[in-house]
Amino acid sequence: MDTTITSSSVFETAITSLPLIARGKVRDIYAVDEQHMLIVTTDRLSAFDVIMPTPIPQKGVILTQVANFWFGLLQDVIPNHLSDKTLDDLPLTAAEKATLQGRSIIVKRLRPLPVEAIVRGYLIGSGWKDYQQTGAVCGITLPTGLQMADRLPEPIFTPSSKAEVGEHDINISFAQMQDKIGADLAEQVRSVSIELYNRAAAYALERGIIIADTKFEFGLDANDQLVLIDEILTPDSSRFWPADQYQPGISPPSFDKQFVRDYLETLDWGKVAPGPELPAEIMEKTAAKYREVADLLMK
């Protein structure tokens, strides 16, 4: 197996025994059979939809652990894509298996929906910018006088259309989502997404973490049943804040890759590929933040 490893990191995999389906910003996906895929979470990091050339050590292992933890905790809300197959069921070499251990899952093949389900519980990021200009977030009118990072009266659902690798996702209205996937399915996705967020946010808050916002992805099985896919509630797909440092009016410190984004904002870089190399200090601090949030959530 050809694997680029830097500081005990896996930047890219090349498994010779399985066909490569795709490489995403973070994941390498391989075909197992007609019903299953192998998803490998590498240590790649993307910011502003650009893959950075510097991997974050063990990031993929941490993301896999956190996502699997949430899949287990929330499986009573909706079925997920995890299968009962393991690496032992695949024709891997010893070296391949060692590289994939802890950072890969074998999932059921499903038909992914062409939307991302974003739930926001707090007013931050693009939502805050939208609110300042329009008094609304993605067309959802909010009370006047809210500050940056304020908790919203109730979580809001703001879908986006999925973009190709290297492109930006586009926020869409709920009506546009209904047009894309059908009214009944759109209602189900919204309802399930908000329930998942509420359950996760309550759990995390008990452990000192605010989940400001997150995104979910869904697919349909052979019976057109909705299934939770991709990753869920990780530092890559969510905005995590330490509850003891939270206060409205400022952008709270973050457990996620916002730390890298903040660093990149200080550079003279146009937010287009290729991304800049990350200094060792930024790489190590980012890795520590991923580890810290995983420890808090899963303790």
Side-chain angles (χ1 to χ4, degrees):
M1 173 191 240
D2 259 336
T3 311
T4 307
I5 299 180
T6 308
S7 304
S8 75
S9 296
V10 176
F11 188 81
E12 187 174 284
T13 60
I15 300 174
T16 56
S17 55
L18 298 175
L20 179 70
I21 296 176
R23 286 195 207 283
K25 292 169 188 168
V26 174
R27 286 166 182 77
D28 294 346
I29 304 174
Y30 295 88
V32 172
D33 55 36
E34 291 185 359
Q35 287 80 41
H36 299 90
M37 301 184 302
L38 173 73
I39 300 180
V40 186
T41 306
T42 71
D43 297 327
R44 296 194 293 269
L45 181 141
S46 75
F48 305 111
D49 288 319
V50 175
I51 297 170
M52 297 294 110
T54 315
I56 305 299
Q58 297 300 298
K59 169 177 172 280
V61 173
I62 294 167
L63 291 182
T64 302
Q65 289 175 343
V66 171
N68 287 349
F69 166 77
W70 286 116
F71 279 131
L73 191 70
L74 300 170
Q75 61 186 339
D76 62 315
V77 178
I78 182 175
N80 61 63
H81 66 168
L82 295 179
S83 77
D84 55 7
K85 287 184 176 291
T86 70
L87 292 181
D88 290 334
D89 297 317
L90 304 183
L92 303 171
T93 66
E96 288 173 340
K97 190 182 292 186
T99 300
L100 298 177
Q101 203 72 48
R103 65 170 66 248
S104 62
I105 52 175
I106 302 172
V107 303
K108 302 161 191 168
R109 285 198 193 228
L110 301 158
R111 307 193 312 278
L113 299 182
V115 293
E116 291 191 339
I118 298 166
V119 183
R120 303 171 188 266
Y122 292 75
L123 190 57
I124 199 69
S126 63
W128 168 242
K129 292 176 184 175
D130 195 359
Y131 175 78
Q132 288 178 292
Q133 294 169 353
T134 68
V137 175
C138 297
I140 300 171
T141 302
L142 296 175
T144 58
L146 294 178
Q147 300 182 73
M148 175 194 288
D150 258 338
R151 183 175 182 176
L152 299 175
E154 59 184 13
I156 59 174
F157 179 77
T158 60
S160 69
S161 63
K162 280 190 197 173
E164 298 297 320
V165 174
E167 300 297 320
H168 293 277
D169 296 334
I170 300 169
N171 291 336
I172 59 175
S173 67
F174 185 68
Q176 288 173 304
M177 178 177 169
Q178 289 176 309
D179 289 341
K180 272 181 175 287
I181 67 173
D184 289 347
L185 185 56
E187 288 284 0
Q188 186 184 5
V189 168
R190 177 167 66 179
S191 173
V192 167
S193 297
I194 290 174
E195 183 177 356
L196 288 168
Y197 172 82
N198 283 334
R199 283 271 300 272
Y203 175 91
L205 193 56
E206 291 176 352
R207 285 147 185 84
I209 296 173
I210 290 171
I211 304 178
D213 52 43
T214 194
K215 76 173 177 69
F216 301 107
E217 295 193 37
F218 297 91
L220 298 175
D221 67 13
N223 298 315
D224 289 333
Q225 295 300 303
L226 193 66
V227 180
L228 189 57
I229 65 170
D230 198 61
E231 65 172 339
I232 60 167
L233 297 157
T234 72
D236 268 16
S237 66
S238 315
R239 209 182 304 254
F240 290 133
W241 297 336
D244 61 356
Q245 298 178 57
Y246 166 73
Q247 64 180 78
I250 62 169
S251 182
S254 177
F255 282 119
D256 54 43
K257 60 183 177 181
Q258 189 62 40
F259 183 77
V260 175
R261 292 193 197 100
D262 291 345
Y263 164 74
L264 293 172
E265 291 280 19
T266 68
L267 304 181
D268 182 17
W269 171 59
K271 297 179 184 175
V272 294
E277 292 280 353
L278 300 178
E281 179 189 11
I282 297 296
M283 183 176 71
E284 288 159 10
K285 283 186 177 178
T286 303
K289 284 182 177 291
Y290 277 80
R291 287 193 300 271
E292 184 180 3
V293 73
D295 289 344
L296 287 170
L297 285 172
M298 298 189 296
K299 68 182 179 183

